[in-house]
Amino acid sequence: MLAANRNVRDGIVVGLIGYAGVAVFYSGFDLLAARGLLYTVDLLGKAVFAGLRDPGAINFPLQLDWTAIMQYNALHFVLAMAIGQVVTGLVGQAERKPSQRFAVIFVIVAGFVVTVLGVGRLTSDMRPFLPWWSIVVANGLASLMAAAYLLRRRPGLWRLLIVGREPH
């Protein structure tokens, strides 16, 4: 039961790190592009919840839709929490059964690729404002920050995943 509690706790933190990492990246991205702090999340919220589909409409200044922003943030948060639980569950599986480490690594990497491709596909109409590189970088940074947390929290995890056993 202790390992299950640790996985749930770590899953929450990993989800929070992923959520915050992507949010901070896009806030900085939008500020550097002189579009305002919440431009991307507003755009995504409008696309997901308000049906914004005309890519020409985003060439004009749009009023922030706080409902769409909050709905998108809630969706992003829930998905990040779910991903955090899945990742820490997979890491726990590798810790219990080191022989499955390659399958765990494959599933985590495949999950990253599917996430990037899924977000990219769903935002294809917004490509001028949400380039592919930003999707990869935002998710990559969030993943690296979450991995750093897990590697620090679980001594020997790196060796376990790479070599297949914990240090003696």
Side-chain angles (χ1 to χ4, degrees), residues 1-13 85 88 96 149 153-154:
M1 188 60 136
L2 220 51
N5 288 340
R6 179 177 74 161
N7 281 340
V8 170
R9 215 174 25 253
D10 284 349
I12 291 169
V13 175
Q85 293 302 316
T88 56
R96 286 187 304 281
Y149 166 79
R153 273 283 283 159
R154 299 176 183 214

Side-chain angles (χ1 to χ4, degrees), residues 90-102 104 160 164:
L90 288 166
V91 167
Q93 180 70 14
E95 289 173 324
R96 286 187 304 281
K97 296 184 179 181
S99 63
Q100 296 180 355
R101 72 187 189 281
F102 292 123
V104 165
L160 172 74

